[in-house]
Amino acid sequence: MNLSSLSSQLNMSIQELRTKSKEKGVFISPRANKIDNYTARKLTEIFAPAVVAPVDPNAPKPIAIKIKLPSFIKVRDFAELLKLPVVNVIKVLIKNGVMATINEEVDFDTASIVAQDLGFEVETEADTSHKEFGLGFLQEVLAAEKEENLKPRPPIVTIMGHVDHGKTTLLDTIRKTKVAEGESGGITQHIGAYTVKKNNKTITFLDTPGHEAFSEMRARGANVTDLIVLVVAADDGVRPQTLEVINRAKFTNTPMIVAINKVDKPEANVIKVKQELAGVGVLTEEWGGKTIACEISAKQGTGIDNLLEMILLNAELENFRANPEGKTLGTVIESKVSQGKGSTASVIVQNGTLKVGDIFAAGGTFGRIRSLEDEKGKKLKEARPSMPVQISGFSETPKAGDILQVLPTLDEAKHIAKASQKKEHGHRAAARQAIQGDLKNKTLNLIIKADTAGSLEAIKQSIVKLKNDEVKINILSEGVGEINESDVLLAASSRATVIGFRIKVNPKAESLAKQNKILLDNYDVIYELLEDITSAVIKMFTPELEKVSFGFATVLAIFRTEKGQMIIGGKVTSGELKRNSQILILRDGAELGRGEILELQQTKVAAKSIGQNEEFGMKIKTPVKILEKDQLESFEEKIKIKTL
């Protein structure tokens, strides 16, 4: 804490504070401008002792004064509201572990604890002019629209998948082949999304890195995506990020279409991909499930038309709708500072119609729309639902995931933006950390507090589904209401994580958690909570190697034997022999050892693989002495993806 702040709160000069502190046994270095929180708390207790009035046993019990507190309040204003000296308020703040100066703001939770400690009864000050924006707010607006006013709108699609499986190539292919058809110029600027036409119907694609965009928007309570296209490479199959996308689709109840890419490659194995997908709970239509799977080659451009038709079919079944004449809302997907335009943002309209001249608020920003442009740089007068546009006219640069709302007056837009800024400022330091279990004992201990009994029951039922034979999940304590000190103490003694759902955290509990290095996470969205718990459980699974066999061969001739290596000839009897694979040496069905292929040839030409019934020559590194008629198995070992 700054010495200047503390001295002014104690109504003395800095030099006087140094001198008097030394007299009381607290030494402050002559060069120090700041002191630690412990020393500040001690000096406050010495020089601003609480005034305790003599207790009269016959006096009537005082009636607690009721006060209304806003979401955030400056310490000076707080003291004026309580009609108490600022130093008294700061002292109680310090006792609760909050080091705030006279001009700093404290949130409602902190102020209410201090007020109650000082004998006040607290109520929340209603803010009727501000409604918190987020996914729930958007859903409320759409739910309030009359059925007869809702019209079909284009689906908004995000392409996701494992790295190098072809997401970017697929986006580029769709953009090049479909956007330019019948339109001059094609895409001239990147606005984070674009529209394509198919069968006279429109599809909007988010043209941002899928995982990053999805995560950032989701973290801010927004979910623009109507449909996920999961790209899986036919020559690689299900990988870690593939599983991540599947889990997100499940948690968010977002429909999903699988695009099996790279089917043109010789190593492509579509059946294997569908088998692996079934193993992680994604059953394609051919396997008796409901998930549509399209075979494509993004590089060659094959299967793209079919994929777009399946997207439109899915959109028709899901019946995505909005009211073009209703309350105008949109979500920011990208933002930047543009030369000559100032702060700009790419927005997807989700309800109503956005027009040039509209007044708006988006997160902590506000403004009046100066210009609307599509991905081709074309100036627009308005944008209807599911349409991506670039907007200029922001007071500051917004963030991805901010909900944009059109408002009647600039004053109202300013007020909402300011309230959002305060909320962001108050919770900036409360970023969640990853939930961690006890890796050594393979246990995840949880203490759960929720806003209602219904929320608590829903969370518990979902956690039950995550139970497995390897990692033990223990709910040590549960309840409805704020996270308190006893929750933190229990967590400290049992190595548990404290999880809150839409609740407040007692400032004393928060301070105690920091002291004891206890993980304390608060959630507003249930699927985020469950996704983080799932991730924590999966991280504790013991990795397993899975053997993938490619084929078998028979040794027909031994050409040369050297120390630690041999040159042999043979014939593939089933499957294929791969140059980069491992080799298992078998004799009469018994395993003799392993080998490494140094060279693989067919008709004296180097080969990557040898097919069934084809002969080969091989230089192999192995300690085993191979004989004619021995069997060779070509295989590789992969880390097996474990799921719940």
Side-chain angles (χ1 to χ4, degrees):
M1 188 175 191
N2 288 330
L3 269 179
S4 58
S5 297
L6 183 61
S7 63
S8 63
Q9 290 161 20
L10 297 174
N11 293 320
M12 59 178 77
S13 67
I14 295 177
Q15 188 55 46
E16 189 181 1
L17 178 59
R18 291 185 198 275
T19 304
K20 289 188 176 181
S21 297
K22 190 175 181 181
E23 291 172 359
K24 295 291 184 178
V26 180
F27 177 74
I28 301 174
S29 170
R31 294 183 179 180
N33 293 319
K34 293 183 178 181
I35 55 174
D36 59 70
N37 291 350
Y38 174 79
T39 306
R41 187 182 295 113
K42 191 172 182 180
L43 291 174
T44 304
E45 289 172 354
I46 293 171
F47 297 116
V51 179
V52 181
V55 178
D56 182 358
N58 300 318
K61 192 175 180 180
I63 300 171
I65 301 171
K66 291 183 179 181
I67 59 166
K68 290 184 178 181
L69 291 173
S71 300
F72 293 88
I73 189 170
K74 281 189 177 180
V75 173
R76 179 196 287 112
D77 299 336
F78 185 33
E80 287 179 6
L81 182 65
L82 300 177
K83 296 180 180 177
L84 291 172
V86 174
V87 69
N88 288 16
V89 174
I90 289 175
K91 180 182 177 182
V92 181
L93 281 166
I94 291 172
K95 281 188 175 181
N96 282 279
V98 179
M99 306 303 295
T101 63
I102 191 169
N103 291 315
E104 286 182 336
E105 287 184 331
V106 291
D107 60 16
F108 173 83
D109 294 345
T110 304
S112 64
I113 294 292
V114 172
Q116 288 171 38
D117 283 356
L118 291 167
F120 292 85
E121 192 175 316
V122 177
E123 293 178 1
T124 307
E125 184 178 271
D127 188 356
T128 54
S129 62
H130 173 58
K131 174 74 175 179
E132 185 182 343
F133 298 167
L135 181 60
F137 175 61
L138 182 62
Q139 289 172 338
E140 283 178 23
V141 170
L142 293 174
E145 296 286 2
K146 292 181 180 179
E147 184 72 21
E148 62 268 23
N149 294 333
L150 295 174
K151 307 293 181 187
R153 63 170 176 80
I156 302 168
V157 180
T158 301
I159 295 178
M160 303 178 76
H162 193 72
V163 64
D164 293 332
H165 276 205
K167 304 185 298 293
T168 305
T169 307
L170 177 56
L171 274 165
D172 288 344
T173 302
I174 292 171
R175 183 170 59 233
K176 288 172 185 174
T177 59
K178 296 298 166 189
V179 176
E181 286 181 5
E183 298 185 26
S184 59
I187 290 179
T188 58
Q189 61 178 349
H190 184 274
I191 67 169
Y194 60 84
T195 58
V196 305
K197 293 282 187 181
K198 178 67 180 175
N199 300 337
N200 293 320
K201 293 183 179 179
T202 304
I203 304 170
T204 297
F205 283 94
L206 283 182
D207 188 17
T208 53
H211 295 272
E212 292 79 1
F214 199 96
S215 298
E216 193 171 356
M217 291 181 193
R218 181 180 58 108
R220 299 180 66 79
N223 185 20
V224 182
T225 306
D226 295 320
L227 177 69
I228 292 173
V229 172
L230 171 61
V231 180
V232 187
D235 63 339
D236 197 16
V238 173
R239 306 296 290 157
Q241 279 183 297
T242 315
L243 189 62
E244 185 183 335
V245 177
I246 291 167
N247 285 335
R248 285 177 173 175
K250 287 178 181 177
F251 284 135
T252 56
N253 292 319
T254 306
M256 183 173 70
I257 291 176
V258 177
I260 302 175
N261 192 25
K262 304 185 183 183
V263 295
D264 56 308
K265 297 186 75 172
E267 311 91 71
N269 191 337
V270 175
I271 294 175
K272 180 188 171 188
V273 170
K274 291 180 179 179
Q275 189 176 15
E276 289 182 355
L277 286 168
V280 293
V282 179
L283 291 174
T284 59
E285 290 177 327
E286 297 85 346
W287 286 62
K290 295 181 180 179
T291 304
I292 297 171
C294 300
E295 297 177 23
I296 66 166
S297 169
K299 193 173 182 180
Q300 302 293 333
T302 55
I304 303 300
D305 282 325
N306 181 52
L307 174 62
L308 296 178
E309 285 174 4
M310 291 302 103
I311 289 171
L312 289 172
L313 176 63
N314 194 289
E316 193 175 327
L317 293 171
E318 294 291 336
N319 193 23
F320 300 123
R321 297 186 301 167
N323 179 10
E325 308 302 324
K327 189 174 182 65
T328 304
L329 295 168
T331 301
V332 175
I333 53 174
E334 281 189 359
S335 61
K336 62 182 178 181
V337 177
S338 178
Q339 190 173 4
K341 293 181 181 178
S343 293
T344 64
S346 302
V347 173
I348 287 188
V349 180
Q350 291 179 279
N351 197 62
T353 300
L354 200 58
K355 300 172 184 175
V356 173
D358 280 344
I359 294 167
F360 66 87
T365 69
F366 66 95
R368 188 190 297 271
I369 295 177
R370 289 202 300 263
S371 66
L372 288 173
E373 294 180 10
D374 65 10
E375 67 266 24
K376 291 176 285 296
K378 182 182 176 183
K379 298 279 186 182
L380 304 172
K381 290 184 178 180
E382 62 179 36
R384 295 168 73 83
S386 294
M387 190 170 181
V389 284
Q390 189 177 74
I391 298 172
S392 66
F394 288 86
S395 59
E396 295 178 33
T397 308
K399 296 180 180 178
D402 280 342
I403 304 295
L404 181 144
Q405 179 184 204
V406 171
L407 296 158
T409 66
L410 203 57
D411 285 341
E412 189 172 345
K414 285 181 181 178
H415 174 71
I416 289 175
K418 187 177 179 182
S420 295
Q421 283 179 346
K422 285 185 177 182
K423 185 176 178 66
E424 180 74 18
H425 170 73
H427 295 284
R428 196 172 292 148
R432 288 201 303 271
Q433 302 174 50
I435 295 174
Q436 295 178 343
D438 185 343
L439 188 60
K440 184 179 179 182
N441 298 311
K442 292 194 179 298
T443 56
L444 179 62
N445 294 330
L446 301 173
I447 294 166
I448 302 172
K449 301 296 283 288
D451 57 343
T452 65
S455 297
L456 182 62
E457 193 58 35
I459 293 166
K460 285 168 56 184
Q461 287 177 2
S462 298
I463 290 175
V464 166
K465 296 176 184 176
L466 302 179
K467 290 195 173 178
N468 58 88
D469 295 332
E470 188 172 353
V471 177
K472 192 174 182 182
I473 305 173
N474 300 317
I475 299 177
L476 303 181
S477 176
E478 61 186 68
V480 174
E482 70 174 12
I483 294 172
N484 54 41
E485 291 169 281
S486 61
D487 297 322
V488 176
L489 291 171
L490 176 59
S493 63
S494 56
R495 293 184 179 180
T497 295
V498 184
I499 292 176
F501 182 71
R502 293 179 180 169
I503 55 162
K504 300 170 184 175
V505 181
N506 186 312
K508 290 182 180 178
E510 195 165 5
S511 177
L512 190 62
K514 287 178 183 176
Q515 290 173 24
N516 290 278
K517 296 181 180 178
I518 299 300
L519 192 61
L520 191 157
D521 277 345
N522 213 344
Y523 292 82
D524 292 316
V525 184
I526 195 166
Y527 69 77
E528 290 181 14
L529 185 157
L530 297 174
E531 189 177 13
D532 285 357
I533 293 175
T534 303
S535 178
V537 172
I538 289 174
K539 283 176 184 175
M540 285 189 283
F541 283 148
T542 303
E544 285 184 9
L545 286 176
E546 182 180 32
K547 180 182 171 186
V548 180
S549 179
F550 299 122
F552 291 86
T554 300
V555 179
L556 300 179
I558 308 297
F559 298 118
R560 186 185 300 172
T561 301
E562 299 174 0
K563 187 177 180 180
Q565 60 186 39
M566 300 178 73
I567 298 176
I568 61 175
K571 184 177 182 178
V572 177
T573 55
S574 65
E576 64 178 338
L577 198 65
K578 287 192 175 185
R579 185 179 64 190
N580 296 326
S581 66
Q582 296 184 60
I583 294 295
L584 194 65
I585 304 161
L586 306 164
R587 185 175 298 159
D588 298 325
E591 183 180 325
L592 299 180
R594 298 187 178 193
E596 178 187 346
I597 299 174
L598 299 177
E599 293 179 31
L600 185 63
Q601 293 184 354
Q602 187 176 33
T603 61
K604 297 185 179 181
V605 178
K608 289 184 178 180
S609 63
I610 309 294
Q612 190 171 341
N613 296 325
E614 294 179 344
E615 294 188 353
F616 62 88
M618 177 192 294
K619 188 174 184 179
I620 183 171
K621 182 181 178 181
T622 177
V624 178
K625 188 174 182 180
I626 299 172
L627 303 177
E628 291 182 13
K629 297 183 181 180
D630 282 351
Q631 297 290 307
L632 305 179
E633 182 183 4
S634 174
F635 75 97
E636 72 173 4
E637 288 180 328
K638 289 184 176 181
I639 293 176
K640 187 178 180 180
I641 299 172
K642 287 195 172 185
T643 60
L644 289 166

